[in-house]
């Protein structure tokens, strides 16, 4: 079987991760337990998730011409991801995310840097890459004008496009109309549909609800596809793993429910290790995990 071709248009960050017993109060200094720098960014995370699951992945984004940028490009290439569409920029630092992990949850501040130097014209230059894809995936850590262009180009070439509306912001109606799927979490769902009629887009909505699972609407029926219970080390990147895995399953022609179950399994495995990408499973990991679920 040919590998599914997935193009991810999105952010590339270095994650600066601190693990701490409890979150500090305002104005308080506390001692952390662990610190690490590790590759992240919603776009790059989704690209890595899809690549580990067997897709041929092309990344479109931007990094600074600095040490983090070089390291992140090397890291994407080591996963077999094409970085021909990643623009090096001199006037901005590589994007970073300051992440604090505690109480089985995280708090994240992103400084976009070079991610916000990506322009709609950069996507025009990658039009053939988008046209050759089975599925495109886009998130909101890049300028909204780029998101709009990505969705339009995919739509022009009849390529399905998953819009992961994270971090939450309002989207223009054209993005709702052209997206094949919208994958907010519960918080993002509230913001996304503040001014839009949710019912009109229910058939393209997949709401990720963390440990509960994902909610879908098919033929007017609402359904929760339950997630899998696993020991949680770090939930950072779980939503990204879901999106990358869902893109692969969709490109392979899996029906919606089966695609969500496959992506739920990948996301569950991803939370068992520290770091957004460290726990992302391979195809073999997901298949053996799912076959064990059938046995039990
Ligand atoms: O979704 C998790 C990601 O959000 C992190 O890797 C961080 O870089 C931020 O973009």
């Amino acid at each position: 079987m040919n590998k599914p071709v997935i193009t991810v248009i999105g952010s590339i960050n270095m994650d600066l991760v601190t693990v701490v017993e409890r979150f500090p109060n305002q104005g308080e200094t506390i001692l952390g337990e662990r610190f690490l720098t590790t590759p992240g960014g919603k776009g790059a995370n989704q690209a890595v998730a899809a690549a580990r699951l067997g897709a041929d992945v092309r990344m479109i984004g931007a990094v600074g011409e600095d040490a983090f940028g070089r390291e992140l490009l090397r890291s994407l290439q080591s996963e077999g991801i094409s970085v021909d569409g990643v623009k090096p920029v001199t006037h901005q630092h590589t994007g970073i995310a300051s992440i604090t992990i505690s109480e089985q949850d995280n708090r994240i501040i992103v400084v976009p840097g070079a991610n916000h130097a990506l322009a709609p014209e950069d996507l025009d230059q990658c039009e053939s890459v988008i046209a050759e894809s089975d599925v495109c995936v886009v998130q909101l850590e890049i300028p909204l004008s780029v998101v709009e262009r990505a969705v339009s180009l995919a739509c022009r070439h009849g390529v399905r496009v998953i819009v992961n509306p994270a971090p939450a912001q309002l989207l223009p109606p054209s993005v709702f109309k052209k997206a094949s799927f919208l994958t907010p979490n519960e918080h993002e769902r509230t913001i996304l549909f503040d001014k839009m009629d949710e019912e009109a887009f229910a058939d393209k909505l997949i709401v990720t609800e963390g440990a509960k699972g994902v909610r879908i609407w098919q033929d007017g029926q609402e359904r929760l596809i339950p997630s899998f219970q696993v020991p949680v080390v770090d939930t950072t990147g779980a939503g990204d793993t879901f999106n990358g895995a869902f893109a692969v399953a969709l490109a392979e022609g899996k029906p919606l429910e089966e695609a969500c179950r496959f992506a739920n399994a990948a996301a569950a495995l991803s939370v068992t290790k520290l770091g957004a990408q460290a726990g992302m499973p391979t195809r073999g990991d997901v298949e053996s995990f799912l076959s064990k679920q059938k046995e039990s």
Side-chain angles (χ1 to χ4, degrees):
M1 192 167 80
N2 283 342
K3 283 181 165 194
V5 179
I6 311 284
T7 298
V8 180
I9 302 118
S11 58
I12 305 168
N13 296 335
M14 186 60 86
D15 289 352
L16 315 178
V17 182
T18 306
V19 182
V20 65
E21 200 182 336
R22 65 171 176 84
F23 292 109
N25 295 317
Q26 193 158 354
E28 184 189 24
T29 302
I30 58 173
L31 296 185
E33 291 164 2
R34 243 185 111 174
F35 173 75
L36 71 153
T37 55
T38 185
K42 295 186 192 305
N45 292 344
Q46 294 178 16
V48 170
R52 292 216 185 137
L53 294 168
D56 177 354
V57 182
R58 292 106 199 253
M59 180 84 211
I60 299 176
V63 291
E65 286 191 342
D66 50 27
F68 282 166
R70 285 187 287 277
E71 192 178 333
L72 292 170
L73 285 179
R74 269 198 302 273
S75 160
L76 287 168
Q77 284 171 312
S78 73
E79 300 282 347
I81 296 167
S82 162
V83 295
D84 294 349
V86 178
K87 174 169 95 165
V89 299
T90 50
H91 57 292
Q92 283 285 0
H93 63 81
T94 296
I96 65 100
S98 169
I99 303 181
T100 309
I101 295 175
S102 194
E103 300 156 28
Q104 294 205 336
D105 212 340
N106 60 40
R107 292 184 184 179
I108 304 182
I109 299 169
V110 171
V111 188
N115 293 302
H116 273 198
L118 196 64
E121 298 71 42
D122 296 320
L123 261 64
D124 295 341
Q125 289 184 14
C126 298
E127 184 164 354
S128 60
V129 175
I130 291 173
E132 285 162 13
S133 311
D134 292 306
V135 173
C136 286
V137 193
V138 63
Q139 329 71 32
L140 307 183
E141 285 183 340
I142 52 175
L144 199 48
S145 57
V146 179
V147 173
E148 286 184 86
R149 186 67 59 91
V151 172
S152 287
L153 288 173
C155 205
R156 178 188 295 169
H157 293 284
V159 174
R160 287 164 297 175
V161 57
I162 299 167
V163 177
N164 174 221
Q169 59 175 291
L170 293 175
L171 291 176
S174 65
V175 173
F176 284 85
K177 286 185 194 128
K178 291 177 182 168
S180 313
F181 288 99
L182 294 153
T183 57
N185 63 21
E186 290 164 284
H187 162 72
E188 290 150 4
R189 176 187 181 186
T190 314
I191 294 173
L192 198 63
F193 291 103
D194 187 36
K195 294 189 168 54
M196 291 298 280
D197 174 18
E198 188 178 277
E199 262 183 42
F201 299 100
D203 60 340
K204 47 177 83 177
L205 194 55
I206 298 176
V207 181
T208 55
E209 299 188 359
K212 280 184 275 173
V214 299
R215 200 167 293 280
I216 58 170
W217 287 258
Q218 262 185 321
D219 307 320
Q221 296 276 355
E222 179 177 334
R223 291 211 50 196
L224 182 74
I225 316 292
S227 64
F228 300 94
Q229 301 313 308
V230 289
V232 177
V233 174
D234 178 10
T235 57
T236 312
D240 299 329
T241 309
F242 179 89
N243 278 279
F246 180 68
V248 174
L250 192 66
E252 290 175 353
K254 289 193 188 354
L256 182 60
E257 268 192 59
E258 194 186 328
C260 287
R261 187 173 148 82
F262 176 82
N264 271 349
L269 289 168
S270 77
V271 305
T272 59
K273 291 198 184 126
L274 181 63
Q277 296 174 13
M280 286 178 179
T282 62
R283 184 76 183 211
D285 293 335
V286 173
E287 281 168 2
S288 89
F289 179 78
L290 280 172
S291 67
K292 281 187 197 130
Q293 302 301 315
K294 274 184 203 145
E295 284 161 20
S296 58

